[in-house]
Amino acid sequence: LAFQKELRESRRNIRALNNYYNSLNTKLITLKSNTRNTPGVPVDSLNEISSWQKEMAQLGIKINGDKSLAKRAFETFPSLNQFLGTVAWSSYNYTGAPTAGQKKKLATANKMYKGIHEQVKSIGTKTQELQSKLEALGAPYLEDSLPE
């Protein structure tokens, strides 16, 4: 029962990470467009956003796997979602104690989650700070912004 609770909490956290990651990617695209189209915004802002987008692309591979290599029949390292999905799938309708393999994969997924979470959170914080600066310079407000 403790393993199932840990698995459920891990799935909850990783699902939230996936959602945040996807919305942050969308926000970066919009922010980049706003940066290009707002007069007086420092050009360095575009470089920052581009570097964050590159980081996000690398994190996307860790979260979802390298689909580009996989579709060319190259072996790829399992992604965070693959580790978790394997554990969740193999534990459905299984009434016995969790196997050593299930425990190991869940531990690996949780370890991966912690590292990815910190990186995504850091990019999210930096993005929010840049968004505030751009809005102060007259850039359009984003969906999740409300003028003062």
Side-chain angles (χ1 to χ4, degrees), residues 1 9 11 16 24 29 36 39 49 51 53 55 60 62 64 67 69 73 75 84 89 120 139 145-147:
L1 191 58
E9 187 62 23
R11 289 185 72 202
L24 186 56
I29 292 168
R36 265 191 251 117
I49 294 169
S51 71
Q53 286 179 314
E55 277 184 69
K62 290 179 183 178
N64 299 309
K67 292 176 175 56
L69 282 179
E75 289 185 27
L84 189 68
W89 182 82
V120 171
S145 296
L146 187 63

Side-chain angles (χ1 to χ4, degrees), residues 71-85:
K71 73 180 177 183
R72 292 179 181 86
F74 286 98
E75 289 185 27
T76 60
F77 187 76
S79 68
L80 174 62
N81 286 325
Q82 288 169 327
F83 273 116
L84 189 68

Side-chain angles (χ1 to χ4, degrees), residues 13-86:
N13 290 339
I14 292 171
R15 200 172 286 141
L17 176 69
N18 279 318
N19 292 338
Y20 186 79
Y21 170 84
N22 290 332
S23 70
L24 186 56
N25 260 334
T26 303
K27 183 183 245 185
L28 284 170
I29 292 168
T30 306
L31 205 56
K32 192 173 194 177
S33 175
N34 287 353
T35 302
R36 265 191 251 117
N37 297 326
T38 304
V41 173
V43 178
D44 292 346
S45 300
L46 283 173
N47 295 337
E48 281 183 294
I49 294 169
S50 292
S51 71
W52 298 336
Q53 286 179 314
K54 288 176 185 172
E55 277 184 69
M56 290 289 283
Q58 291 301 312
L59 291 170
I61 291 171
K62 290 179 183 178
I63 294 170
N64 299 309
D66 192 338
K67 292 176 175 56
S68 176
L69 282 179
K71 73 180 177 183
R72 292 179 181 86
F74 286 98
E75 289 185 27
T76 60
F77 187 76
S79 68
L80 174 62
N81 286 325
Q82 288 169 327
F83 273 116
L84 189 68
T86 301

